[in-house]
Amino acid sequence: MKNQFIELQQMPSYLVNLPVQLQQEIEQWATSQGISLDEFILWAVAEKVASLRHQLNDPSFPLISYRIGSSGQKVPVVSGTGIRVQTLAIAAHQWGWSCEQIVQQYGITEAQINDALGFYTAHRTEIDEAIATEQAIETAGV
């Protein structure tokens, strides 16, 4: 049997200045978890980075948010309405509707429409793929 060695990576050290009350609370949580303060901080930072990495919303478009559709896929919508960005993109670009027509049809503001169409421009590939997939499903009669 061969000896197997695990190569440990040396990690850089960082000096972190924490307010006393926060440090005390972190130490209590670390102790209750049965881990060191360093492990707790590493775990907390890793969790935060993972959260940011999987963040759905694009902060450049505050009136647009993602929801998880019935297929489990993320779907960009006008926040608070459920109106899909792809629906507004189709109305504007394929059907040639004016902003006023979209306002009347969907009961949303011009600012919401502009944000949705700006989002579409910034995420065109993603949204065009969703549109093409939906159209293929409709054509197939599924």
Short mmCIF file of all heavy atoms in Angstrom, two decimals, residues 43-70:
data_model
loop_
_atom_site.label_atom_id
_atom_site.label_comp_id
_atom_site.label_asym_id
_atom_site.label_seq_id
_atom_site.Cartn_x
_atom_site.Cartn_y
_atom_site.Cartn_z
N TRP A 43 -15.30 30.18 7.85
CA TRP A 43 -16.60 29.64 7.45
C TRP A 43 -17.56 30.77 7.07
O TRP A 43 -18.26 30.71 6.05
CB TRP A 43 -17.14 28.80 8.61
CG TRP A 43 -18.56 28.36 8.50
CD1 TRP A 43 -19.09 27.48 7.60
CD2 TRP A 43 -19.64 28.77 9.33
NE1 TRP A 43 -20.43 27.32 7.84
CE2 TRP A 43 -20.79 28.11 8.89
CE3 TRP A 43 -19.74 29.64 10.42
CZ2 TRP A 43 -22.04 28.28 9.49
CZ3 TRP A 43 -20.97 29.81 11.01
CH2 TRP A 43 -22.11 29.13 10.55
N ALA A 44 -17.60 31.83 7.88
CA ALA A 44 -18.51 32.94 7.62
C ALA A 44 -18.15 33.66 6.32
O ALA A 44 -19.04 34.01 5.53
CB ALA A 44 -18.48 33.93 8.80
N VAL A 45 -16.87 33.87 6.09
CA VAL A 45 -16.44 34.54 4.86
C VAL A 45 -16.75 33.66 3.65
O VAL A 45 -17.25 34.14 2.63
CB VAL A 45 -14.93 34.90 4.92
CG1 VAL A 45 -14.43 35.36 3.56
CG2 VAL A 45 -14.69 35.97 5.97
N ALA A 46 -16.48 32.36 3.75
CA ALA A 46 -16.77 31.44 2.64
C ALA A 46 -18.26 31.43 2.32
O ALA A 46 -18.67 31.42 1.16
CB ALA A 46 -16.29 30.03 2.98
N GLU A 47 -19.09 31.45 3.36
CA GLU A 47 -20.54 31.48 3.17
C GLU A 47 -20.98 32.77 2.47
O GLU A 47 -21.82 32.75 1.57
CB GLU A 47 -21.23 31.33 4.52
CG GLU A 47 -22.72 31.14 4.43
CD GLU A 47 -23.32 30.87 5.80
OE1 GLU A 47 -23.23 29.73 6.27
OE2 GLU A 47 -23.86 31.82 6.39
N LYS A 48 -20.41 33.89 2.85
CA LYS A 48 -20.75 35.18 2.25
C LYS A 48 -20.34 35.21 0.79
O LYS A 48 -21.10 35.65 -0.08
CB LYS A 48 -20.09 36.32 3.02
CG LYS A 48 -20.38 37.69 2.46
CD LYS A 48 -21.85 38.04 2.55
CE LYS A 48 -22.10 39.45 2.08
NZ LYS A 48 -23.51 39.83 2.14
N VAL A 49 -19.14 34.72 0.48
CA VAL A 49 -18.66 34.69 -0.91
C VAL A 49 -19.57 33.80 -1.75
O VAL A 49 -19.95 34.16 -2.87
CB VAL A 49 -17.19 34.23 -0.98
CG1 VAL A 49 -16.78 33.92 -2.40
CG2 VAL A 49 -16.27 35.30 -0.39
N ALA A 50 -19.95 32.65 -1.23
CA ALA A 50 -20.86 31.75 -1.97
C ALA A 50 -22.20 32.43 -2.21
O ALA A 50 -22.78 32.32 -3.30
CB ALA A 50 -21.06 30.45 -1.20
N SER A 51 -22.69 33.16 -1.23
CA SER A 51 -23.95 33.89 -1.37
C SER A 51 -23.86 34.94 -2.47
O SER A 51 -24.76 35.07 -3.30
CB SER A 51 -24.31 34.54 -0.04
OG SER A 51 -25.26 35.55 -0.19
N LEU A 52 -22.78 35.68 -2.48
CA LEU A 52 -22.59 36.70 -3.52
C LEU A 52 -22.42 36.08 -4.90
O LEU A 52 -22.91 36.61 -5.90
CB LEU A 52 -21.39 37.59 -3.19
CG LEU A 52 -21.56 38.49 -1.97
CD1 LEU A 52 -20.22 39.14 -1.59
CD2 LEU A 52 -22.62 39.54 -2.22
N ARG A 53 -21.74 34.96 -4.95
CA ARG A 53 -21.51 34.28 -6.22
C ARG A 53 -22.83 33.81 -6.84
O ARG A 53 -22.98 33.77 -8.04
CB ARG A 53 -20.58 33.09 -5.99
CG ARG A 53 -20.12 32.42 -7.27
CD ARG A 53 -19.19 31.24 -7.02
NE ARG A 53 -18.01 31.63 -6.28
CZ ARG A 53 -17.57 31.02 -5.19
NH1 ARG A 53 -18.19 29.98 -4.70
NH2 ARG A 53 -16.48 31.44 -4.57
N HIS A 54 -23.78 33.45 -5.99
CA HIS A 54 -25.06 32.93 -6.48
C HIS A 54 -26.18 33.97 -6.44
O HIS A 54 -27.34 33.64 -6.59
CB HIS A 54 -25.45 31.69 -5.67
CG HIS A 54 -24.52 30.56 -5.91
ND1 HIS A 54 -23.49 30.27 -5.06
CD2 HIS A 54 -24.42 29.68 -6.93
CE1 HIS A 54 -22.81 29.25 -5.54
NE2 HIS A 54 -23.36 28.87 -6.67
N GLN A 55 -25.78 35.20 -6.23
CA GLN A 55 -26.77 36.28 -6.19
C GLN A 55 -27.45 36.37 -7.55
O GLN A 55 -26.81 36.36 -8.59
CB GLN A 55 -26.09 37.60 -5.86
CG GLN A 55 -27.01 38.76 -5.71
CD GLN A 55 -26.26 40.02 -5.26
OE1 GLN A 55 -25.08 39.97 -4.97
NE2 GLN A 55 -26.94 41.12 -5.23
N LEU A 56 -28.74 36.46 -7.55
CA LEU A 56 -29.49 36.46 -8.80
C LEU A 56 -29.65 37.84 -9.42
O LEU A 56 -29.49 38.01 -10.62
CB LEU A 56 -30.87 35.85 -8.58
CG LEU A 56 -30.91 34.36 -8.24
CD1 LEU A 56 -32.34 33.92 -7.99
CD2 LEU A 56 -30.30 33.54 -9.35
N ASN A 57 -29.98 38.83 -8.64
CA ASN A 57 -30.34 40.13 -9.19
C ASN A 57 -29.12 40.89 -9.69
O ASN A 57 -28.03 40.78 -9.15
CB ASN A 57 -31.10 40.95 -8.16
CG ASN A 57 -32.41 40.29 -7.78
OD1 ASN A 57 -32.95 39.49 -8.54
ND2 ASN A 57 -32.91 40.60 -6.62
N ASP A 58 -29.33 41.68 -10.74
CA ASP A 58 -28.28 42.53 -11.30
C ASP A 58 -28.49 43.93 -10.72
O ASP A 58 -29.49 44.58 -11.02
CB ASP A 58 -28.41 42.56 -12.83
CG ASP A 58 -27.34 43.37 -13.51
OD1 ASP A 58 -26.76 44.27 -12.88
OD2 ASP A 58 -27.08 43.11 -14.70
N PRO A 59 -27.57 44.41 -9.88
CA PRO A 59 -27.76 45.70 -9.23
C PRO A 59 -27.82 46.89 -10.20
O PRO A 59 -28.29 47.96 -9.82
CB PRO A 59 -26.56 45.82 -8.29
CG PRO A 59 -25.56 44.84 -8.79
CD PRO A 59 -26.32 43.77 -9.50
N SER A 60 -27.41 46.70 -11.44
CA SER A 60 -27.49 47.78 -12.43
C SER A 60 -28.93 48.06 -12.87
O SER A 60 -29.21 49.09 -13.47
CB SER A 60 -26.66 47.43 -13.67
OG SER A 60 -25.32 47.22 -13.32
N PHE A 61 -29.83 47.10 -12.57
CA PHE A 61 -31.23 47.23 -12.99
C PHE A 61 -32.12 46.99 -11.77
O PHE A 61 -32.66 45.90 -11.57
CB PHE A 61 -31.53 46.23 -14.11
CG PHE A 61 -30.66 46.43 -15.32
CD1 PHE A 61 -29.49 45.68 -15.48
CD2 PHE A 61 -30.98 47.38 -16.27
CE1 PHE A 61 -28.68 45.89 -16.58
CE2 PHE A 61 -30.17 47.59 -17.37
CZ PHE A 61 -29.00 46.84 -17.52
N PRO A 62 -32.31 48.03 -10.95
CA PRO A 62 -33.03 47.85 -9.68
C PRO A 62 -34.50 47.49 -9.81
O PRO A 62 -35.09 47.00 -8.85
CB PRO A 62 -32.85 49.22 -8.99
CG PRO A 62 -32.57 50.18 -10.10
CD PRO A 62 -31.84 49.39 -11.15
N LEU A 63 -35.09 47.72 -10.97
CA LEU A 63 -36.52 47.41 -11.13
C LEU A 63 -36.74 46.00 -11.68
O LEU A 63 -37.88 45.60 -11.93
CB LEU A 63 -37.18 48.45 -12.06
CG LEU A 63 -37.08 49.90 -11.59
CD1 LEU A 63 -37.75 50.84 -12.59
CD2 LEU A 63 -37.67 50.08 -10.20
N ILE A 64 -35.64 45.25 -11.85
CA ILE A 64 -35.72 43.89 -12.37
C ILE A 64 -35.19 42.93 -11.31
O ILE A 64 -34.19 43.19 -10.67
CB ILE A 64 -34.87 43.74 -13.67
CG1 ILE A 64 -35.27 44.78 -14.72
CG2 ILE A 64 -34.95 42.32 -14.22
CD1 ILE A 64 -36.73 44.74 -15.14
N SER A 65 -35.88 41.83 -11.13
CA SER A 65 -35.41 40.81 -10.21
C SER A 65 -35.61 39.45 -10.87
O SER A 65 -36.33 39.33 -11.86
CB SER A 65 -36.15 40.88 -8.88
OG SER A 65 -37.53 40.74 -9.07
N TYR A 66 -34.94 38.47 -10.32
CA TYR A 66 -35.12 37.10 -10.83
C TYR A 66 -36.08 36.37 -9.91
O TYR A 66 -36.11 36.59 -8.70
CB TYR A 66 -33.79 36.34 -10.83
CG TYR A 66 -32.89 36.64 -12.01
CD1 TYR A 66 -31.85 37.55 -11.89
CD2 TYR A 66 -33.08 36.01 -13.23
CE1 TYR A 66 -31.01 37.80 -12.96
CE2 TYR A 66 -32.25 36.25 -14.30
CZ TYR A 66 -31.21 37.15 -14.16
OH TYR A 66 -30.39 37.40 -15.22
N ARG A 67 -36.84 35.51 -10.49
CA ARG A 67 -37.62 34.55 -9.71
C ARG A 67 -37.28 33.18 -10.29
O ARG A 67 -36.82 33.07 -11.43
CB ARG A 67 -39.12 34.83 -9.79
CG ARG A 67 -39.69 34.55 -11.15
CD ARG A 67 -41.21 34.58 -11.16
NE ARG A 67 -41.64 34.09 -12.46
CZ ARG A 67 -42.75 34.40 -13.05
NH1 ARG A 67 -43.59 35.21 -12.46
NH2 ARG A 67 -43.05 33.92 -14.22
N ILE A 68 -37.50 32.17 -9.52
CA ILE A 68 -37.25 30.81 -10.00
C ILE A 68 -38.58 30.31 -10.57
O ILE A 68 -39.59 30.24 -9.87
CB ILE A 68 -36.75 29.90 -8.86
CG1 ILE A 68 -35.48 30.47 -8.24
CG2 ILE A 68 -36.52 28.48 -9.38
CD1 ILE A 68 -34.31 30.63 -9.19
N GLY A 69 -38.56 29.99 -11.85
CA GLY A 69 -39.77 29.54 -12.53
C GLY A 69 -40.12 28.10 -12.18
O GLY A 69 -39.39 27.41 -11.47
N SER A 70 -41.23 27.62 -12.70
CA SER A 70 -41.69 26.27 -12.40
C SER A 70 -40.72 25.21 -12.90
O SER A 70 -40.67 24.10 -12.38
CB SER A 70 -43.08 26.04 -13.01
OG SER A 70 -43.03 26.24 -14.41
#
